[in-house]
Amino acid sequence: MEHDSHTPWEFNGSFYQPSAFLMMGIPGLEALHPWLSIPFCALYLTALLGNCVILFIIRRTPSLHEPMYYFLSMLAVTDLGLALCTLPTTLGLLWFDVRRIGFDACLAQMYFIHILSFIESSVLLAMAFDRFIAISHPLRHPAILTKSTVLKIGLAIVLRGMVSLLPIPFLLKRLSYCGRTELSHSFCFHPDIMNLACADIKVNVFYGMIVLLSTVGMDFIFIVLSYILILRTVVSLTTREECLKALNTCVSHICAVLVFFIPMIGLSMIHRFGKGVPPLVNTLVAYTYLTIPPALNPVIYSIKSTHIREALLRALCRERGSDW
């Protein structure tokens, strides 16, 4: 890929900062970008429509006004945000070869992508806690997870993501950049921007690792612990039917956890330790991390959740009846 020869630079003594970065498509497949935009459009359309349908169904169905579905609503809003964050730059590059993104716009996109990723991780933890209480302490579940408690958990999740990531754009803005402006993806990612700097990035690396481990890392550990406790409770149930019924309520959540955490961990490892990893692998893992979970989560919950599926069918029947 060529450098943008028209990209101006800000100069202040020995301090250099690009006015824009150049985003990369899928390495080696640039000629196929118009065709590759078709599956991306399908994924984005599924993410937008699917999550909007989930929110609509939960809002219109009083029987779904309980903690499990409140947390599912938070997950759907987060997935909508993730899809909308990357959709303009990804489709702009694939359709129109728009590779340039302003420096400040890139930092803003990066900030929101990371915030929404951290929020999704925390919401998945809250959903695991909800399943643990519902299975291990079913009689106390309504008293523990009241509407006000769920609202406080949601606010705490958002504040934790915003505050913990607030220094990241400023840590990147203080760096001096040498001349390379090509990002590895069609969106802005903290390690990707950081590696373009020619200054000392130890503070960025250290802070990024601490934030990642103290948020997403801790969330994953607590999700695993929640399921260990859930399994202990399920094993103590007397009949096989009760065990299967209890585990069946967790299947959708387990799928959502795997779909989110596996590519996220893979991408983090590649950016920090995978210097010899082919660029195509890096790109595919990144796109999997940011496009697959928002598209799959509503599909998973619509298929596996009987209550969501029945509410969706009732809504479709009402619409069809009104047409007649």
Side-chain angles (χ1 to χ4, degrees), residues 17 25 31 54 99 104 109 114 136-137 140 225-226 228 292:
Q17 189 175 92
I54 291 287
R99 300 172 52 212
D104 290 331
Q109 185 192 46
H114 285 293
S136 300
H137 307 283
R140 297 174 56 195
L225 289 175
S226 296
I228 290 173
I292 298 299

Side-chain angles (χ1 to χ4, degrees), residues 57-285:
I57 291 297
I58 292 174
R59 185 176 182 274
R60 292 288 298 272
T61 310
S63 62
L64 300 183
H65 293 177
E66 56 183 64
M68 176 181 176
Y69 298 102
Y70 290 145
F71 289 129
L72 180 56
S73 297
M74 295 180 196
L75 186 68
V77 171
T78 306
D79 283 337
L80 278 173
L82 275 174
L84 291 172
C85 272
T86 59
L87 184 151
T89 52
T90 299
L91 294 185
L93 188 146
L94 294 176
W95 281 345
F96 309 111
D97 197 32
V98 177
R99 300 172 52 212
R100 181 186 171 102
I101 182 170
F103 183 81
D104 290 331
C106 187
L107 295 185
Q109 185 192 46
M110 175 218 67
Y111 180 63
F112 284 108
I113 286 175
H114 285 293
I115 280 181
L116 291 166
S117 297
F118 283 21
I119 289 175
E120 179 140 351
S121 169
S122 301
V123 171
L124 290 172
L125 172 59
M127 296 174 83
F129 177 69
D130 170 69
R131 290 299 84 209
F132 165 66
I133 297 297
I135 292 172
S136 300
H137 307 283
L139 297 179
R140 297 174 56 195
H141 181 259
I144 293 173
L145 287 174
T146 61
K147 286 185 179 181
S148 62
T149 302
V150 172
L151 180 60
K152 290 174 184 176
I153 291 173
L155 290 174
I157 286 172
V158 174
L159 286 174
R160 185 180 77 151
M162 292 178 64
V163 172
S164 62
L165 288 166
L166 189 60
I168 294 291
F170 299 101
L171 288 174
L172 289 171
K173 208 168 178 63
R174 71 181 180 88
L175 297 175
S176 179
Y177 297 83
C178 302
R180 292 187 304 124
T181 58
E182 293 92 348
L183 301 171
S184 301
H185 315 296
S186 62
F187 55 85
C188 299
F189 201 63
H190 174 238
D192 205 15
I193 301 172
M194 178 179 67
N195 289 330
L196 295 178
C198 55
D200 186 359
I201 59 172
K202 289 179 182 177
V203 174
N204 296 68
V205 173
F206 179 75
Y207 186 78
M209 185 65 71
I210 291 296
V211 170
L212 187 65
L213 292 176
S214 63
T215 53
V216 177
M218 293 301 295
D219 290 345
F220 184 72
I221 290 171
F222 283 122
I223 288 172
V224 173
L225 289 175
S226 296
Y227 274 101
I228 290 173
L229 295 174
I230 287 171
L231 286 174
R232 283 182 57 188
T233 302
V234 169
V235 168
S236 67
L237 295 176
T238 54
T239 65
R240 185 169 179 269
E241 288 74 17
E242 288 177 330
C243 292
L244 292 176
K245 185 178 179 181
L247 289 175
N248 192 51
T249 64
C250 301
V251 171
S252 301
H253 180 255
I254 292 172
C255 292
V257 168
L258 294 176
V259 165
F260 175 76
F261 278 100
I262 289 176
M264 184 182 198
I265 292 170
L267 184 61
S268 298
M269 293 300 101
I270 287 173
H271 271 290
R272 283 166 176 80
F273 310 111
K275 300 299 182 183
V277 174
L280 181 59
V281 174
N282 181 13
T283 301
L284 291 178
V285 173

